[in-house]
């Protein structure tokens, strides 16, 4: 069985009295809690097959990260790993309200690990499960190397690069949100069970992309790329 796609959303949590966070909850409240955290471009709905199965033995939660899925998409100054770490921690405190295991896929894995490594989260996190997790590792060959560069030249080059990068990312977003392209990418991501790429899954990605701020959030997430955060430090 799977959870049906509901365009209007599932449950809503008002984060920081400002942002609407969509989330799914299922299972016996007396059982251990598990929080599922999705990856880039996805949503809580991507756990549609996992949630009913896990709910047999767990009190299951899955939320849409800020900027993704059916959650609010504010144009923040930057979308860093800190944003989703703080969101996860507050979700544990205000919604789950008991110790939980965090299970994250892709950048959701990084969010899970980053949250668990935070001192404030220790009473709320019992364990972490990483599924094809994303994250940056230090390049040991580049440590300690410094180059003297002309600051004015760098500023000009950075300006040109940023403008070109913005153009490429904007075009990429327009192409990527087309249903046919979404389906094509998903079939590459899920090559073992391509039949799971149905109209509901495609729509769960297409519909959020219609938000007026979606392209700007996409740009900010792509360009931020969690600079300065390394897995070794967590």
């Amino acid at each position: 069985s799977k959870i049906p796609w509901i365009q209007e959303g599932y449950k809503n949590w008002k984060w920081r009295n400002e942002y609407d966070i969509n989330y799914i909850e299922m299972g016996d409240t007396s059982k251990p809690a598990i929080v599922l955290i999705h990856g880039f471009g996805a949503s809580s709905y991507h756990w549609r097959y996992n949630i009913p199965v896990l709910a047999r033995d767990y009190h299951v939660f899955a939320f849409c990260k800020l900027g993704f899925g059916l959650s609010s998409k504010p144009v923040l100054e930057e979308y860093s790993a800190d944003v989703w770490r703080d969101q996860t921690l507050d979700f544990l405190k205000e919604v789950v309200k008991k110790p939980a295991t965090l299970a994250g896929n892709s950048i959701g894995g990084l969010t899970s690990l980053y949250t668990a490594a935070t001192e404030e989260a220790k009473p709320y996190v019992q364990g972490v499960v990483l599924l094809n997790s994303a994250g940056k590792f230090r390049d040991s060959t580049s440590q300690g190397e410094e180059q003297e560069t002309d600051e004015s030249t760098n500023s000009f080059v950075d300006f040109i690069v940023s403008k070109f990068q913005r153009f490429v990312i904007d075009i990429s977003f327009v192409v990527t949100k087309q249903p046919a392209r979404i389906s094509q990418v998903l079939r590459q991501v899920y090559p073992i069970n391509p039949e799971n790429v149905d109209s509901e899954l495609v729509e769960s990605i297409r519909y959020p992309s219609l938000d007026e701020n979606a392209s700007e959030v996409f740009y900010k997430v792509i360009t931020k790329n969690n600079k300065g955060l390394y897995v070794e430090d967590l």
Side-chain angles (χ1 to χ4, degrees), residues 6 17-18 39-40 81 89 108 110 122 124 157-158 175 182 192 194 201 221 225:
I6 301 177
N17 295 316
E18 184 175 5
F40 176 75
L89 179 56
L110 180 63
K122 289 186 177 179
Y124 304 97
V157 171
D158 289 345
V175 173
I182 293 172
I192 297 177
L201 184 60
V221 172
N225 195 28

Side-chain angles (χ1 to χ4, degrees), residues 59-94:
H59 184 193
V60 186
F61 298 85
F63 63 80
C64 294
K65 288 183 168 185
L66 189 72
F68 291 108
L70 297 176
S71 288
S72 295
K73 297 170 182 59
V75 180
L76 304 180
E77 185 175 344
E78 66 175 23
Y79 271 86
S80 68
D82 292 0
V83 172
W84 298 315
R85 176 204 59 189
D86 294 346
Q87 179 188 352
T88 302
L89 179 56
D90 288 344
F91 186 81
L92 289 169
K93 292 178 179 178
E94 299 177 19

Side-chain angles (χ1 to χ4, degrees), residues 137-143 230 232:
F137 290 86
R138 283 192 174 85
D139 180 359
S140 59
T141 62
S142 64
Q143 289 184 3
Y230 295 94
E232 295 98 322

Side-chain angles (χ1 to χ4, degrees), residues 112-141:
S112 300
L113 191 60
Y114 194 17
T115 303
T118 304
E119 187 67 28
E120 190 179 353
K122 289 186 177 179
Y124 304 97
V125 180
Q126 290 185 316
V128 174
V129 179
L130 304 179
L131 306 168
N132 194 27
S133 184
K136 291 173 61 178
F137 290 86
R138 283 192 174 85
D139 180 359
S140 59
T141 62

Side-chain angles (χ1 to χ4, degrees), residues 2-230:
K2 67 177 180 180
I3 291 176
W5 162 245
I6 301 177
Q7 181 174 295
E8 293 73 26
Y10 301 86
K11 290 191 172 185
N12 185 76
W13 166 53
K14 184 71 77 169
W15 183 35
R16 295 178 172 174
N17 295 316
E18 184 175 5
Y19 307 124
D20 289 312
I21 303 299
N22 175 74
Y23 74 95
I24 300 169
E25 179 181 1
M26 184 178 289
D28 188 336
T29 58
S30 67
K31 292 185 176 181
I34 184 168
V35 179
L36 308 176
I37 306 176
H38 66 79
F40 176 75
S43 70
S44 58
Y45 186 68
H46 277 234
W47 302 99
R48 59 188 180 151
Y49 284 106
N50 307 97
I51 293 172
V53 175
L54 290 170
R56 298 170 188 169
D57 301 302
Y58 296 92
H59 184 193
V60 186
F61 298 85
F63 63 80
C64 294
K65 288 183 168 185
L66 189 72
F68 291 108
L70 297 176
S71 288
S72 295
K73 297 170 182 59
V75 180
L76 304 180
E77 185 175 344
E78 66 175 23
Y79 271 86
S80 68
D82 292 0
V83 172
W84 298 315
R85 176 204 59 189
D86 294 346
Q87 179 188 352
T88 302
L89 179 56
D90 288 344
F91 186 81
L92 289 169
K93 292 178 179 178
E94 299 177 19
V95 180
V96 181
K97 297 180 180 179
K98 59 183 176 182
T101 296
L102 304 180
N105 170 241
S106 185
I107 60 171
L110 180 63
T111 299
S112 300
L113 191 60
Y114 194 17
T115 303
T118 304
E119 187 67 28
E120 190 179 353
K122 289 186 177 179
Y124 304 97
V125 180
Q126 290 185 316
V128 174
V129 179
L130 304 179
L131 306 168
N132 194 27
S133 184
K136 291 173 61 178
F137 290 86
R138 283 192 174 85
D139 180 359
S140 59
T141 62
S142 64
Q143 289 184 3
E145 294 183 4
E146 296 184 359
Q147 286 184 315
E148 293 185 5
T149 55
D150 187 308
E151 187 174 330
S152 61
T153 301
N154 271 354
S155 297
F156 176 73
V157 171
D158 289 345
F159 174 77
I160 297 301
V161 170
S162 67
K163 290 298 182 182
F164 179 72
Q165 184 182 51
R166 181 58 187 256
F167 172 76
V168 172
I169 291 175
D170 285 348
I171 294 298
S172 175
F173 180 78
V174 172
V175 173
T176 302
K177 72 177 185 178
Q178 302 305 314
R181 178 57 179 163
I182 293 172
S183 179
Q184 180 185 36
V185 171
L186 287 173
R187 290 177 188 280
Q188 293 172 350
V189 174
Y190 306 122
I192 297 177
N193 295 306
E195 65 275 9
N196 286 345
V197 180
D198 55 24
S199 59
E200 287 189 327
L201 184 60
V202 171
E203 185 63 10
S204 74
I205 296 176
R206 188 199 71 85
Y207 180 71
S209 73
L210 302 180
D211 186 282
E212 61 180 1
N213 292 335
S215 62
E216 186 66 20
V217 171
F218 181 77
Y219 172 76
K220 286 182 175 290
V221 172
I222 288 289
T223 54
K224 177 59 183 178
N225 195 28
N226 296 319
K227 295 175 182 177
L229 178 65
Y230 295 94

